[in-house]
Amino acid sequence: MTNSQLRLTRRKTPILFLLLLFPFLASAQKKITGQITDAETKSPVFKAAIMIKGTQKGTYSDEKGQYSIDAPAGSTLLFTSMEYDNTEVTVGADNTINIALKPKVSGLNEVVVIGYGTVKRKDLTGAIASLKAADLKTEGVSNVGRSLQGRLPGVTVESAGGDPGSGTRILIRGVGTLNNADPLYLVDGVQVANINNIAPGDIESMDVLKDASAAAIYGSRAANGVVLVTTKSGKAGKPVFNFRTNVGSQKLAKKYEVLNAEEWATVSNAAHDAGNGGAGLPRLDIAANPSTLGAGTDWQDAIYRTAPIQQYYLGVSGGSDYSRYSVSGEYTDQAGIVDVTGYKRYGIRAKTESTKGILKFGQTFLATREKWIRMSDGWGGQGGNAVGSAMKMIPTYKIYDTSAIGGYSGASGSVVNIPNPVALLHLEDVSYELVSFLANAYAEVALRPYLKYKFNMGYTTSFGQTDDYVRRHEVGNLFIQQTNDMSREKERNQMVLLENTLNFNKDFGKHSIQALVGYSYQKTNYNYNLMAKTNLPDGIKELDAASGTASVGGNSVESILLSTLGRVIYAYDNRYLLTASFRRDGSSRFGASNRFGNFPSVAVGWNINNEHFWHVDPSIVSSLKLRASYGILGNQEIGDYQYSAAIASNINYVIGDAQQKWFGAIQTAYSSPNIKWENTATTNVGVDVSFLKGSLNASVDYFFKKTTDVLLNVPIPGSAGSSTNPVVNAGTIQNKGIELGLNYSNHIGEFNYTVFGTISSVKNKVIELGTGTQQIFGGQPTHHGASSTLTEAGGEVTGFYLIKTLGIFQSQDEINAYKDKNGNLIQPYAAPGDIKFLDANGDGIISSADRVHMGSPFPDFEYGVGLNLSAFHFDLNIYMQGVSGNKIYNGVRQDMEGMNLEYNYAKTTLQAWTPEHHTNMPRAVIDDPNLNAQTSSRFLESGTYFRMKTLQLGYTIPESLNARLHTTSVRAYLSADNLFTLTRYSGFNADIGRSGSILDRGVDYGHVAYPLARVFSAGIQLSF
């Protein structure tokens, strides 16, 4: 080797050595220390995970948020906590890395609205179910109440009918009263009658307070639960516009199968031939020749139609750090699937919030105008509305008769007085218009950073007007009216709310305290007026134009509620939680000695995962919280002035030979001066747990609810001097149940998915009622049927109470063998093919005394299941819900399968029993001596159903296109609502809706039916 080569080798040696050593230097460990804090509160984050990305090596922060880890230079540290967004940092030259984690918008840091304030979900001790705006964005329905159906455990949402704008009825944790069981609804803190007129696009969140701990701050008004609706507020920044439109088509989901003209005549003739004890009755002339009649008139086809629905929404929001706004307008036009019927809604909303120094003030204004075009309830007789009449109307009759007054044909002769349903829709105009205003304004002063005083003023008013105009008509020979008549009803509701609250919110080291005290004043007024006249000229709908009889009436009521309230929410070290509240209400609905009620509650919570002994890997169990609460709530939902005697004036009479008129008055209602608050005590135990780093979340609650001093009407003899039964405290009802909510979210590459579900089970029982033997009957299923439900001590609220059927007598020998203990025939008027009824009390006679408990209108459990998928700008949203184990009394079937009256029958009657063809359908007999069609378990059916409620496919355009279109987001979708229902129930809709009375629950009353529609729609959601 030459000298020059030697010198070169010596120069290269250190370089080669360093190159060989570099991998070892790069992997040299260095000790990294630091503190992890909350980016907003600056408080330390306990048990945050610190991992070296791509390895299994990691550690946790201690209670001071401090950590220590050995990591190679150039490696990446991943900081995670289920309450915060993930953060990554590359290890460089510094040995100290402090991290401020940003709280997640959702999860345990999600803000939940509670009474008079908010709280983070991790600090929540009460049972509260919530929906956010994102949960409602895929709904294609016009009514927000329907969006709740099956989504919240313990919250039962039922349709109030299928007619346009019908809304929903909501029950929270079963029925704890025999009066109004509706929850308390509040929109931005102001009480409203319902939330059916709130546009889904206006809603920021919906929170349902279920247990006493959550709801007791509302005291007297919260016994049936509380639904809090918070509308959207503006955010700092440039104006953001949101536009939504949804256009669709509605079709009849299920048609009731009835007989055509030829089939009806065949069954009618068989029924007449079997009448009069088998000797036969004269056949109807219109049924003389069945084979010549053909199909006849399809009355259901004559009234149903494919109906359009359209919805439009436009909102704008924005503001600065000091002032924010959110303004919106919406329009809904929903035609009904029954001809003529429809619903329109116009709405505007404005919400602002401003801050000036220590002063903060804001307001919400909401105005809606709604108009319903409705069906007539009927013209008397036994047909009911157009839907009920279309099923019963005999198909041999025609729709039109140009020679008749009004132009419509109708039933005539010796048949049941069922009106022509098309004539019902076109000869009577029924409309209801409701204009509603909600105004709320508040001012808040920060006396200290931790002490704020707030004055809140709310006002709601609504003006309702019903116009009912009946044209003169001659529809057959059963419905004749010679004059045009009109009535107008007007009603007005007003509510004024004034609230003063003082709120304290401060942290002391590991201690956190929220304290609230307040005073509330609420005054409600209601006015009603009726005006009616007969004999109006054709085509004129003004009362002044009438020349006939005039009728007037009216009344008004007023009530006041005064309340004081207080609450303390305490948390220690993010581990131990305590909530205590108290409210004292005074109501004018009770006498002076019982006017005030006290409603306390207490709840505790334990975040076990924040304990020092907790060492479970967050990838297995991320969080675990136990909750328990107890509280008392009140109910005052009875009529006003029930504690005092009612006197009717202008009761005049004539005496003496001169027939002199004397003016007088009479007592019409017995006074109940001792009535007092109805109280509901609720115990709740719950568990909230998260798994798999927060991907899987579950919440389980068990509750026991007992209502004492139930307010109810107790029968008294007329000799007591009252035409009505007085209200007294005479009942105890208990409810208990369990609720489960689950949610799992994850992703696989570009594929994101969320699966969620709820399941609830509630059981109720009447412990005592009235004098101990009182029975409350309800649920009349037909125009002429007996009641079908019973509420009494030892049973449940409105359980089915029916004569039990035992099949069909197949022979005279079976009838002769069915005897009482004395050898007498129990059903002496029966013939082969008739129903066999159970003689439950053994007296040898089938009567109402033989009714027995036959099931419940309340399901064993109800559930909802949803699946949201998204990938490559497409999203698929599926939502299903159902109930199981409940019963429905099918009053429609009782009418349509009776075969004892002169109207049309169900298609199933073609299988009526005959001597040659033995079936489960009893024989056709027009006078029905055995009472086969009486109210009995024959018409009680399973109410279990499973419904594909929403199926929606959407597409959101890529970000690159947004830049070109100057938009923020554009989404288009196709949606199907009420796509199909799996059920054994034979009626229109297993999710039935009738009236607001709890005593009618589960009873399908065909007189006021309106079928549910299947909806197909397309929509666009646009932000710019």
Side-chain angles (χ1 to χ4, degrees), residues 980-1004:
F980 64 83
T981 302
L982 303 178
T983 182
R984 290 186 294 170
Y985 181 63
S986 63
F988 278 128
N989 177 24
D991 173 29
I992 65 170
R994 179 179 169 181
S995 71
S997 173
I998 197 63
L999 301 178
D1000 292 333
R1001 182 180 171 86
V1003 178
D1004 198 346

Side-chain angles (χ1 to χ4, degrees), residues 170-249:
I170 295 177
L171 289 175
I172 297 176
R173 290 188 163 181
V175 177
T177 182
L178 300 179
N179 296 289
N180 184 353
D182 293 340
L184 170 67
Y185 297 99
L186 294 112
V187 176
D188 287 345
V190 180
Q191 182 177 346
V192 294
N194 56 65
I195 56 174
N196 295 329
N197 65 333
I198 306 296
D202 281 338
I203 294 177
E204 180 65 34
S205 66
M206 297 180 67
D207 298 276
V208 180
L209 316 184
K210 298 185 292 183
D211 72 338
S213 168
I217 198 68
Y218 290 109
S220 67
R221 302 175 292 168
N224 299 318
V226 182
V227 178
L228 302 177
V229 176
T230 303
T231 62
K232 290 183 177 178
S233 300
K235 297 180 180 179
K238 63 181 182 179
V240 176
F241 291 84
N242 288 285
F243 174 75
R244 298 183 181 189
T245 182
N246 178 275
V247 179
S249 176

Side-chain angles (χ1 to χ4, degrees), residues 41 43 118-120 122-125 450 503-516 567-580 607:
T41 66
S43 58
T118 61
V119 67
K120 288 186 177 180
K122 65 185 179 65
D123 297 328
L124 194 63
T125 56
Y450 51 84
N503 202 314
F504 176 89
N505 190 345
K506 192 171 184 179
D507 293 339
F508 303 89
K510 295 182 179 182
H511 306 273
S512 174
I513 297 177
Q514 290 186 50
L516 170 79
R567 180 181 60 210
V568 174
I569 301 175
Y570 170 75
Y572 174 74
D573 198 23
N574 202 24
R575 289 183 287 166
Y576 310 119
L577 311 171
L578 171 68
T579 301
N607 286 316

Side-chain angles (χ1 to χ4, degrees), residues 460 524 607 660 819:
T460 63
T524 304
N607 286 316
Q660 182 178 355
K819 297 178 179 180

Side-chain angles (χ1 to χ4, degrees), residues 751-771:
F751 182 73
N752 299 282
Y753 60 94
T754 298
V755 182
F756 60 91
T758 67
I759 187 168
S760 309
S761 178
V762 182
K763 298 295 181 183
N764 75 72
K765 183 178 182 180
V766 179
I767 305 301
E768 58 182 358
L769 195 65
T771 59

Side-chain angles (χ1 to χ4, degrees), residues 833-844:
D834 282 338
I835 297 287
K836 180 180 180 180
F837 298 103
L838 174 67
D839 179 22
N841 66 354
D843 64 357

Side-chain angles (χ1 to χ4, degrees), residues 72 460 492 592 650 952:
T460 63
R492 181 182 183 184
N650 200 30
Q952 189 176 109

Side-chain angles (χ1 to χ4, degrees), residues 327 341 478 533 607 706:
V327 180
T341 63
L478 300 178
K533 270 191 174 182
N607 286 316
K706 187 174 183 179

